[in-house]
Amino acid sequence: MLAEVGTNNEGPLPWVERDYTPISSALEWERGRCAILIKIYNGGVLSSWLHDKTNPAFVVKGGSSNGVDHTNMNIWLSKPIKTLTVPSLIADDDDGFRPDSVLLLLAGTGIVALPQILAHREPYRLLGIPVPKYRQMNCPVDLIHSCHEDDVLLLQEIKQYCVEGAATHPSRKLRGLRNYTLLVTKPRSDVRGVQPPFQQALHDHEAINYHAVLRDVLNASIYNSRLSKNHVAEAVERLEGSYRIVVSGPDSYNNAARGFLEECGVDSTSVTILSA
């Protein structure tokens, strides 16, 4: 994304560029629509600018508030680039590998990889492209999702994936998620004494009650914990046949996950690590 934010502290030009992963499909892109999950950071040049431009609470009659002009918003999106090959789930070109099962270890905004991968369950309907059966994601997919309890992203969509996975008949094409594990930790404000960005927005819109959302979802479990070796070991034990594990999150999370996988005896060739 390239946005004309005006004067900024990143350089002499009025534009700022950031890499984001769409959560919408290639089919929607072809139809002129694109949905992007963007986390707002306090002091983040582009995310703060987008927040001010799109938040109705900041818009006043005449189109300006707090020195921000809401009548002019210039954004350019480049054509998405491939970061993962499906169904082999590697960053390089397809190596011919077809996993019998998949484990996703996703944290923070790394969760955006989930809808992109699961869209290949039904490529013709969701992606608008005919894909041979041998290149479709027709294998069980499990997810371990790590986040702060006030930052549980895409939960309603994940619930639907769980419902679809639980309802899949053995003789039919697999859909959704087979197992979902949510690992939540305290908000950063509780741990570091630092208030999260745009605290008033959090007061106006309460954090998602993830216990209530997942209460009746039989293939979902919740733990107040960080990712641990035990969580990884239990998830790896459930995998079937030849598997692929995809890790995506902040660098600290990716490094920790890599270490746990090594301790569990997982071969590095079975692991793909993406930066969130």
Side-chain angles (χ1 to χ4, degrees):
M1 175 185 289
L2 180 68
E4 189 175 0
V5 302
T7 303
N8 62 87
N9 59 8
E10 294 193 3
L13 300 178
W15 301 286
V16 171
E17 183 178 7
R18 295 289 187 273
D19 292 331
Y20 296 116
T21 299
I23 57 174
S24 52
S25 68
L27 179 60
E28 291 176 284
W29 175 270
E30 293 297 328
R31 292 174 175 174
R33 297 191 299 269
C34 181
I36 305 175
L37 177 65
I38 300 175
K39 192 171 183 178
I40 302 170
Y41 290 94
N42 200 4
V45 176
L46 183 50
S47 62
S48 299
W49 179 82
L50 286 169
H51 179 273
D52 290 349
K53 285 284 190 178
T54 58
N55 188 348
F58 284 77
V59 180
V60 297
K61 188 175 181 179
S64 179
S65 176
N66 297 330
V68 179
D69 179 12
H70 297 273
T71 62
N72 186 26
M73 185 174 179
N74 294 323
I75 292 176
W76 294 266
L77 299 178
S78 62
K79 184 177 180 179
I81 61 174
K82 183 178 72 173
T83 56
L84 198 65
T85 297
V86 179
S88 57
L89 297 180
I90 58 175
D92 300 319
D93 292 334
D94 191 0
D95 61 358
F97 176 73
R98 301 293 179 262
D100 297 312
S101 55
V102 170
L103 171 62
L104 306 177
L105 303 178
L106 308 180
T109 54
I111 195 65
V112 297
L114 178 65
Q116 296 293 344
I117 291 174
L118 292 185
H120 287 78
R121 293 279 209 204
E122 302 176 85
Y124 187 75
R125 183 174 72 87
L126 298 178
L127 300 177
I129 53 176
V131 177
K133 287 186 177 180
Y134 76 93
R135 296 200 63 183
Q136 297 179 16
M137 282 291 300
N138 194 27
C139 67
V141 178
D142 298 339
L143 168 63
I144 296 181
H145 177 198
S146 301
C147 58
H148 296 291
E149 63 182 12
D150 61 344
D151 194 26
V152 186
L153 306 173
L154 299 182
L155 189 60
Q156 292 294 344
E157 291 83 353
I158 293 173
K159 176 183 178 181
Q160 183 58 37
Y161 293 143
C162 290
V163 172
E164 292 175 355
T168 299
H169 191 276
S171 63
R172 296 179 181 177
K173 187 174 180 179
L174 295 174
R175 299 183 65 189
L177 290 169
R178 181 177 65 173
N179 291 294
Y180 172 51
T181 301
L182 175 61
L183 305 179
V184 291
T185 53
K186 291 182 178 181
R188 284 193 179 92
S189 57
D190 289 350
V191 176
R192 303 175 184 173
V194 177
Q195 293 298 320
F198 306 105
Q199 181 67 21
Q200 185 57 45
L202 294 177
H203 291 161
D204 295 340
H205 307 282
E206 293 183 3
I208 294 175
N209 187 336
Y210 48 88
H211 284 288
V213 173
L214 300 175
R215 179 175 296 125
D216 299 321
V217 181
L218 300 180
N219 53 344
S221 55
I222 303 172
Y223 298 93
N224 294 106
S225 169
R226 295 181 180 274
L227 183 69
S228 68
K229 178 184 175 181
N230 289 339
H231 292 129
V232 172
E234 291 174 4
V236 170
E237 189 175 350
R238 286 195 295 263
L239 294 175
E240 304 169 2
S242 300
Y243 55 79
R244 182 78 75 195
I245 300 175
V246 178
V247 181
S248 184
D251 289 341
S252 57
Y253 175 87
N254 290 351
N255 291 334
R258 181 191 288 111
F260 294 143
L261 290 168
E262 290 176 354
E263 291 179 29
C264 292
V266 175
D267 193 294
S268 61
T269 60
S270 298
V271 181
T272 297
I273 298 182
L274 305 171
S275 296

